[in-house]
Amino acid sequence: ERQHLALLEGVLPPRHRSRLQWPWLMAGWLIGALPAAINDQWVFATIATDETFVEEHYTQQIDRLNTGENQVPKHIDQLLKQCKEDEVRHQQDATSRLSSPLPAPLTAWLKIVEWGSRGAVVVARAI
């Protein structure tokens, strides 16, 4: 994820970067640390849920940037697609390590992760 951030910041002018990097980094740390304190299944399920959201978000961004008159330059389109493919691999790997069924508390946690991710996008777009 740090590599993706560095790659994207390398092509985005400062005015187009998120002003909320510190809260996003803290939230990312928390959604990794809390499941890690419980067990591997919580970690893998959290990764699978988060990466699924991130894949959807990349798809929306790629589609949005490639519609209309102002299409994104090819090198940026390829960079976004490569980052998206990395996320898909992470999601598939995490999913392959899950056992089922998932316990109810874990399912509730995954909803919180999903809602939090969606909420973060709403906040980022508003600022």
Side-chain angles (χ1 to χ4, degrees):
E1 303 308 326
R2 287 183 182 153
Q3 181 184 15
H4 289 177
L5 179 60
L7 289 169
L8 294 172
E9 284 188 343
V11 297
L12 283 174
R15 72 180 187 280
H16 291 300
R17 297 177 192 166
S18 176
R19 295 181 206 139
L20 300 171
Q21 285 299 321
W22 187 83
W24 299 156
L25 292 172
M26 290 303 301
W29 184 86
L30 280 173
I31 66 169
L34 293 175
I38 300 171
N39 66 39
D40 288 350
Q41 288 300 291
W42 279 63
V43 172
F44 298 137
T46 301
I47 291 169
T49 297
D50 190 55
E51 299 297 22
T52 298
F53 171 79
V54 173
E55 175 193 1
E56 292 171 7
H57 186 64
Y58 269 117
T59 298
Q60 291 169 354
Q61 295 301 310
I62 291 166
D63 291 348
R64 185 177 66 84
L65 292 170
N66 284 313
T67 58
E69 297 175 13
N70 298 321
Q71 293 191 357
V72 68
K74 187 75 170 168
H75 73 284
I76 294 175
D77 182 65
Q78 291 302 317
L79 173 64
L80 293 173
K81 287 178 179 174
Q82 181 59 52
C83 289
K84 177 183 162 182
E85 289 172 13
D86 291 344
E87 305 301 346
V88 169
R89 280 192 297 277
H90 299 159
Q91 186 272 346
Q92 290 171 341
D93 178 58
T95 299
S96 74
R97 296 169 188 253
L98 285 172
S99 58
S100 58
L102 299 178
L106 176 52
T107 302
W109 165 250
L110 297 177
K111 284 294 180 193
I112 292 168
V113 170
E114 181 182 354
W115 293 338
S117 296
R118 293 189 191 289
V121 170
V122 170
V123 169
R125 287 182 177 158
I127 292 179

